[in-house]
Amino acid sequence: MVTMARRPARTSRPARSAPRPTAGPTAGPTAGPSGCPCGLPGPYDACCGRFHRDEAVAPTAERLMRSRYSAFVLGEAEYLLRTWHPRTRPARLDLDPGMRWTGLEVLATEDGTAFHATGVVEFRASYRGGALHERSRFERVDGAWTYVDGDFPRA
């Protein structure tokens, strides 16, 4: 099974603003003309595709998380490594070609906007046979959002 990321959790974190619930589940297993795998409206090319092609950077931690989910769906390992924080980035990433991601639900966000240096996104990514529930941490590096690590809350 491929997970979004499995890294040891930090033992202490600075205080954060209260989590902001998001507007309901969003899902989309494949890129196609009807929408992006990340679940936002609009075609993949205009949504996560531009981040994957390095034509733009994700403006928020949530958009980076969504683009990383789309990268897992589409097998874009290079993008996943490129958007991983240098401090926690693995040397390589082997994705399971048999993994079938089936949907994404953003549960909450904390910080992670243009006005922040860090952010947290809690989400549930469904796959054939189960779901991954993660609270991911993000930090800016040279102005761009990067994935640091995540915790796996108990259900």
Side-chain angles (χ1 to χ4, degrees), residues 1-154:
M1 175 176 109
V2 174
T3 61
M4 297 302 261
R6 292 213 176 188
R7 288 270 179 227
R10 289 185 182 179
T11 56
S12 64
R13 297 289 302 164
R16 303 255 184 229
S17 60
R20 294 184 312 264
T22 59
T26 56
T30 59
S34 63
C36 187
C38 80
L40 293 177
Y44 165 77
D45 281 341
C47 190
C48 293
R50 61 196 177 110
F51 304 138
H52 294 173
R53 292 186 305 272
D54 209 14
E55 296 171 358
V57 295
T60 66
E62 179 182 342
R63 289 298 303 270
L64 179 64
M65 187 282 307
R66 288 178 176 278
S67 71
R68 287 176 57 84
Y69 170 81
S70 291
F72 273 98
V73 170
L74 301 171
E76 296 281 348
E78 286 182 28
Y79 178 77
L80 293 166
L81 290 170
R82 186 170 76 237
T83 58
W84 215 308
H85 195 288
R87 184 175 71 241
T88 57
R89 180 187 306 135
R92 58 181 252 186
L93 184 62
D94 297 318
L95 300 178
D96 179 355
M99 178 60 108
R100 296 294 175 251
W101 295 99
T102 59
L104 175 65
E105 180 180 6
V106 175
L107 304 172
T109 62
E110 297 173 27
D111 300 338
T113 71
F115 302 105
H116 301 105
T118 62
V120 175
V121 180
E122 184 173 353
F123 65 91
R124 183 175 299 110
S126 299
Y127 55 88
R128 193 179 315 145
L132 170 72
H133 182 187
E134 183 173 328
R135 235 178 102 74
S136 294
R137 284 179 287 276
F138 298 87
E139 289 180 16
R140 286 184 184 267
V141 173
D142 296 328
W145 286 105
T146 60
Y147 170 80
V148 177
D149 60 16
D151 294 327
F152 303 95
R154 293 183 182 236

